[in-house]
Amino acid sequence: MSTTLEKAAFPDLGKAQCIALTTFRKSGQAVTTPVMFAMSRGTIYLSTRADAGKLKRLRHTGHVTLGPCTYSGKITGSVSEGNAHILTEPQEISAAAAALEKKYGFMLPLTRYAWRLLHRKAKAEEVYIVIEPVSG
């Protein structure tokens, strides 16, 4: 259930299953990726593989844009700005994992497994990211 804070911070994300997350290269070039996410207390949580390109881009700049999208990445609503960073504290990581598990249930591990099969990669460490609204 979305709170008023979440609706104000990230409009159109309440019922979305995926977001189009745009991160930026050092050159400024935008790279958009559809990702599964969960929203809790006005922030967005997502997880990704430790070797994902978006992590390298986030280490350069935490500025991101995001909007609701289809699983294939077609944006279906308004785009918002946010500040992202990688979670390192065990308590924060647990909160992110719980939020994602609550939203997706058994679909989350199935999606991760299918990705590994398709990309023929060994199991990689999972990294959690939080996105907070840009304060204006």
Side-chain angles (χ1 to χ4, degrees), residues 20-67:
L21 175 68
T22 302
T23 54
F24 300 90
R25 293 185 173 144
K26 287 182 183 180
S27 68
Q29 180 183 7
V31 179
T32 302
T33 310
V35 294
M36 296 168 76
F37 76 102
M39 198 169 358
S40 178
R41 288 171 274 173
T43 61
I44 304 271
Y45 293 113
L46 59 103
S47 66
T48 191
R49 296 169 50 92
D51 60 355
K54 68 180 83 58
L55 290 178
K56 181 179 179 182
R57 294 185 295 274
L58 285 176
R59 286 182 183 105
H60 169 68
T61 178
H63 176 74
V64 298
T65 63
L66 57 143

Side-chain angles (χ1 to χ4, degrees), residues 38-120:
M39 198 169 358
S40 178
R41 288 171 274 173
T43 61
I44 304 271
Y45 293 113
L46 59 103
S47 66
T48 191
R49 296 169 50 92
D51 60 355
K54 68 180 83 58
L55 290 178
K56 181 179 179 182
R57 294 185 295 274
L58 285 176
R59 286 182 183 105
H60 169 68
T61 178
H63 176 74
V64 298
T65 63
L66 57 143
C69 72
T70 63
Y71 282 103
S72 63
K74 181 181 177 197
I75 296 175
T76 60
S78 64
V79 175
S80 302
E81 291 186 51
N83 291 311
H85 67 271
I86 299 164
L87 297 176
T88 57
E89 296 296 321
Q91 192 171 5
E92 294 175 319
I93 292 168
S94 293
L100 287 160
E101 176 66 29
K102 181 178 178 182
K103 181 172 181 178
Y104 293 104
F106 72 91
M107 289 300 296
L108 193 61
L110 283 178
T111 302
R112 290 175 180 153
Y113 179 73
W115 194 94
R116 280 187 214 111
L117 284 177
L118 289 171
H119 295 277
R120 308 237 190 267

